[in-house]
Amino acid sequence: MEIERKYLIDVLPSNLEDYPFHRIEQAYLCTAPVIRIRRQDDDYILTYKGKGMMIREEYNLPLTAEAYAHLLSKADGNILTKKRYLIPLTHELKIELDLFEGKFAGLQMAEVEFPDEESANAFTPPDWFGREVTYDPAYHNSNMSQCR
């Protein structure tokens, strides 16, 4: 189960270079249900996501580089690329800050994943977070992959 809230970011933290990051490329084989392939640095993953906005099923399976390349050629729509910074928030929570590249260059979005719905609903975002887009389907990566 994935429980997360998403926010647009207008102003980046000044010490961003202090945090680790991943290079991510992802594409979608299907958007209903969501079936995604992702290259994260040197790892390759196939993901299924169920319906939902803040809470939904999520299953990940490893792929080989060869399988990823084969499936990438079958993907629909835009291939999304981004740099994802991992920023600790509390001892339980971290911010995944995505700086999009390519077609969506300039888009900056933060996600925070939670252990349960209660903590997600009680969350107060840091001051540098902008507008919440958890319930705005336009900011689901699967929908972004279908934008012309």
Side-chain angles (χ1 to χ4, degrees):
M1 192 66 64
E2 175 186 62
I3 303 170
E4 72 179 10
R5 291 177 65 181
K6 296 181 178 195
Y7 299 83
L8 296 180
I9 303 300
D10 297 322
V11 179
L12 296 173
S14 59
N15 60 337
L16 199 54
E17 67 281 350
D18 294 344
Y19 301 108
F21 66 88
H22 296 292
R23 292 265 180 209
I24 295 174
E25 174 185 77
Q26 64 190 42
Y28 292 82
L29 302 173
C30 186
T31 57
V34 172
I35 300 175
R36 175 188 76 201
I37 56 171
R38 173 183 279 175
R39 182 182 75 209
Q40 180 170 297
D41 303 324
D42 295 324
D43 293 323
Y44 303 88
I45 305 154
L46 172 73
T47 301
Y48 164 85
K49 291 189 177 203
K51 291 181 181 181
M53 300 300 263
M54 184 175 78
I55 302 172
R56 59 187 179 161
E57 288 181 279
E58 179 178 281
Y59 302 98
N60 293 305
L61 297 169
L63 289 173
T64 63
E66 295 78 18
Y68 176 84
H70 174 76
L71 292 171
L72 186 61
S73 70
K74 298 175 182 328
D76 294 330
N78 302 307
I79 296 171
L80 304 179
T81 55
K82 54 191 171 182
K83 190 173 184 180
R84 172 171 284 173
Y85 287 91
L86 307 173
I87 303 171
L89 189 58
T90 68
H91 69 281
E92 281 188 341
L93 303 177
K94 73 177 174 215
I95 299 165
E96 295 179 342
L97 175 60
D98 290 343
L99 306 183
F100 286 82
E101 301 166 342
K103 179 178 177 102
F104 298 100
L107 177 61
Q108 301 171 150
M109 192 164 29
E111 299 178 354
V112 180
E113 291 196 24
F114 300 91
D116 54 55
E117 186 176 0
E118 182 180 346
S119 58
N121 288 329
F123 179 66
T124 301
D127 291 341
W128 57 275
F129 277 29
R131 178 170 65 95
E132 183 171 7
V133 293
T134 301
Y135 296 100
D136 186 341
Y139 291 98
H140 278 229
N141 285 219
S142 58
N143 290 333
M144 291 168 55
S145 76
Q146 301 304 303
C147 292
R148 301 255 178 237

